[in-house]
Amino acid sequence: MAGRAPTIRDVASRAGVSVATASNVVNGNRPVGEASRRSVVAAIAALGYRLDRSASALRGKSTRLVGMVVPDITNVFFASLVHGVEALAERDGYDLLIVSSSEDAAKERRRVEALVARRIDGLIVVPASDDSMAAVGGGAHAARLPPAVLIDRGAGAPGFDTVHADCDAGGYAAARHLIGLGHRDIAILTHSKRLENIEQRIAGARRALVEAGLEGRERVIYGGHDLESLRGAIELELHRADCPTAIFALTNVCALASIKAARGLNLEIPSDVSIVGFDDFDWMLALRPYLTTVAQPVEDFASAAWRLLMLRLSAGEKGVERVELPCTLRVRESTGPARPRLKAVAEA
Amino acid sequence: MAGRAPTIRDVASRAGVSVATASNVVNGNRPVGEASRRSVVAAIAALGYRLDRSASALRGKSTRLVGMVVPDITNVFFASLVHGVEALAERDGYDLLIVSSSEDAAKERRRVEALVARRIDGLIVVPASDDSMAAVGGGAHAARLPPAVLIDRGAGAPGFDTVHADCDAGGYAAARHLIGLGHRDIAILTHSKRLENIEQRIAGARRALVEAGLEGRERVIYGGHDLESLRGAIELELHRADCPTAIFALTNVCALASIKAARGLNLEIPSDVSIVGFDDFDWMLALRPYLTTVAQPVEDFASAAWRLLMLRLSAGEKGVERVELPCTLRVRESTGPARPRLKAVAEA
DNA sequence: TTGAAAGCGCTAACAC
DNA sequence: GTGTTAGCGCTTTCAA
């Protein structure tokens, strides 16, 4: 029965008004008289008309399309970010184009260009590296980026609004907690160097160490992005004679890797080794002992990023805004008093 | 320096060819002479031209946009599905619009209509219920759905290609394993009734019970969608005097809830209660004891769904295809011999 | 193999 | 408040 889908012209002619009026009813850009409005609404219902966003995207200045780039959607931290942003986008009538960078700046660039080719209104990115997005904006024939908000990483990148946690404070709190329990040899496990947020977690921990007169007692271990290589890296460290009495894992995947490594080596947590993780998600609450962790306010990340993006879309140019959100140390069961060091035991 | 972004006309005029030729170079729809091709390519490079997909979407028949609907992206099962599909989409030059239904059929419908308004070429959906997508396709002025593939649920829905696991076999294997260990009272924990894949997991378990002469010994517990309500539901069951000696958790979230409940009640796994989970993800490997589980081939779900969609986009009408993939029982440490029933102990 | 021209469905000037 | 109209940038007949 239905031939083509009805267009705005069909609606207009059935309602006995002009296409402009019909259009204005559909997306209240300009006021419309009550009588016209009612007949347009009736025509829309009768015909089953639906706005074709492809067409309005081409003609109008807004596509109501926002791009989102994450390193890896299977990481619950990024998935939660997507979840939060998607809900906000729906509320405000936007659709989300989601792409994955696989932690690769080159791929990220390609994916962003694909998004730009869709004429997205804005962009929310957890960049693969701190400066990767700045690189996309530069160059001879660089993609002209729409307003973009960076989450979690790239906090200092010029030209972008950013949302990130107070990682220094988070690292400081975690290390202080461990030091307070008597730990003197702390391994810090992370996936990657040269990421500002990671550097700051380390810096915070270092600050606590220095304050306690333990300068240089931390060892930073870089384990790469996947669980197994992280586990391998920390396992190696735990095998040493002077192995650490505590691990500070700088991401949720690092925490998982640390736990697996400890388990694999038959080390009791926390009596043999204490663990402080990062982030706080459901699966952590199935572990026993419950994981002591530095929680990031991931829902607030999403809402702050969305707010910043909407602000910039409506307000246009203004100074770059940087939102810093607090971390919370959640002390649970995976941290306890440091065991006597092996050396000390031997000497005794 | 750059005014507007260069269009295909700019490219054509700089290359000294018609826009048609330029277009044909960009998206090899028709053969182009070598000389023209080279000058067009040169012009594209010189100008930094980029195809505007908004425009080609409007004019052409394909948008190279695919919609994906999942109940909840923070569930690692769905996130993995998205991850797999996104990689394939990128490979084939498609972009993914991802929306969340929150397990709500009405919201799902709204979100799908938003996707259809974008003229998506195709749709991949984990539907909120088995018939929710059929409902979207029906009705007086129903959204004209593009080719759609259903994953995980809605296996019998008419008019859709589907990809799902052999849940009956999965349920059967899990139950047989428990029965073999001497379990006679098995609680089955699930989030929702009236989902065919869930019903089949139950049916498979029932079949194993019947075979063992234990008809009607299972108890099915419906705990809702969130972790805490699931935990509450199974905890209630574990509190009973005639509490089950084993739990078969029908999703990964149900497994998490079961573990939390057992831990909360100070029940040892598996000596007090055995647990079989569903799905197999990283966090499960941080648990001790390691979880016995029915793994679904989630990567294969994604690739089968994508293959089906691409097939239908190129081939058009043909019979509906249904792909059923095998589950694998992974026996680990969370299942063990049934403890003597309390009643039996009392009688002794 | 190529070019000219007609729109895709809509929005935004601009007129009234 | 409303109508008329000119395109957005592209793909695709149709004709050469």
Side-chain angles (χ1 to χ4, degrees), chain B residues 187-191 221-223 230 233-234 247-251 254 257-258:
Chain B
I188 298 181
L189 179 63
T190 179
H191 51 94
I221 298 147
Y222 299 96
L230 281 162
I234 190 67
I247 301 172
F248 179 22
L250 262 32
T251 71
C254 292
S258 302

Side-chain angles (χ1 to χ4, degrees), chain A:
Chain A
M1 140 194 175
R4 310 168 350 285
T7 75
I8 191 97
R9 302 182 105 92
D10 300 327
V11 171
S13 78
R14 188 179 222 274
V17 299
S18 73
V19 288
T21 300
S23 171
N24 286 327
V25 170
V26 172
N27 46 45
N29 280 357
R30 283 193 325 193
V32 172
E34 184 53 20
S36 314
R37 207 191 57 76
R38 292 164 73 97
S39 58
V40 169
V41 168
I44 288 174
L47 296 171
Y49 168 78
R50 275 161 172 88
L51 215 204
D52 183 333
R53 290 208 169 275
S54 265
S56 43
L58 178 57
R59 192 53 177 87
K61 30 204 55 175
S62 160
T63 55
R64 295 198 90 73
L65 220 42
V66 164
M68 182 154 187
V69 185
V70 291
D72 175 8
I73 190 92
T74 66
N75 182 317
V76 58
F77 177 74
F78 303 129
S80 296
L81 243 26
V82 168
H83 179 81
V85 169
E86 200 265 340
L88 268 5
E90 193 218 346
R91 186 197 62 188
D92 292 349
Y94 284 81
D95 292 321
L96 259 197
L97 279 164
I98 295 173
V99 301
S100 173
S101 69
S102 308
E103 299 280 8
D104 172 350
K107 182 174 178 193
E108 176 179 274
R109 187 195 177 102
R110 287 203 314 276
R111 302 306 282 133
V112 166
E113 302 207 330
L115 295 177
V116 170
R118 297 275 179 199
R119 291 197 180 189
I120 48 172
D121 288 348
L123 196 48
I124 294 179
V125 187
V126 179
S129 76
D130 291 314
D131 47 10
S132 58
M133 285 301 295
V136 174
H141 288 298
R144 284 151 271 292
L145 286 182
V149 179
L150 270 30
I151 304 187
D152 190 39
R153 302 174 182 173
F160 296 97
D161 290 331
T162 59
V163 178
H164 55 98
D166 183 353
C167 287
D168 183 276
Y172 178 80
R176 255 193 77 111
H177 169 64
L178 290 172
I179 294 165
L181 288 166
H183 293 277
R184 296 294 174 266
D185 291 278
I186 298 173
I188 298 181
L189 179 62
T190 179
H191 52 93
S192 162
K193 48 185 92 187
R194 302 189 181 286
L195 233 33
E196 217 172 288
N197 62 344
I198 294 298
E199 292 300 340
Q200 288 185 356
R201 290 169 204 186
I202 298 171
R206 221 166 242 151
R207 188 156 56 82
L209 252 8
V210 168
E211 273 184 22
L214 295 167
E215 196 150 0
R217 288 301 277 275
E218 84 287 357
R219 319 174 202 162
V220 182
I221 298 148
Y222 299 97
H225 285 293
D226 59 84
L227 184 59
E228 279 314 303
S229 71
L230 281 162
R231 190 185 53 73
I234 190 68
E235 214 168 273
L236 222 61
E237 196 65 20
L238 290 172
H239 260 308
R240 297 171 49 153
D242 61 337
C243 70
T245 62
I247 302 171
F248 179 22
L250 263 30
T251 71
N252 71 78
V253 178
C254 293
L256 197 49
S258 302
I259 295 162
K260 283 193 70 175
R263 298 271 156 96
L265 265 29
N266 270 318
L267 260 24
E268 286 299 315
I269 305 167
S271 57
D272 291 324
V273 60
S274 286
I275 298 179
V276 179
F278 227 90
D279 299 331
D280 198 16
F281 294 104
D282 282 344
W283 62 259
M284 295 181 177
L285 295 172
L287 300 175
R288 198 159 55 183
Y290 295 126
L291 190 69
T292 295
T293 197
V294 180
Q296 299 189 86
V298 52
E299 283 300 313
D300 297 343
F301 277 30
S303 57
W306 189 256
R307 185 177 55 75
L308 253 30
L309 185 60
M310 290 301 103
L311 220 57
R312 191 159 293 273
L313 289 187
S314 56
E317 290 312 315
K318 50 180 184 9
V320 161
E321 215 169 313
R322 309 208 175 283
V323 174
E324 186 170 79
L325 270 9
C327 293
T328 315
L329 177 68
R330 303 226 166 105
V331 176
R332 293 202 275 245
E333 303 168 350
S334 69
T335 45
R339 61 165 163 65
R341 295 197 60 203
L342 293 179
K343 236 183 284 180
V345 171
E347 284 162 10

Side-chain angles (χ1 to χ4, degrees), chain B residues 18 20-21 30-33 36 59 119:
Chain B
S18 73
T21 299
R30 284 192 326 193
V32 171
S36 313
R59 191 57 176 84
R119 288 197 181 187

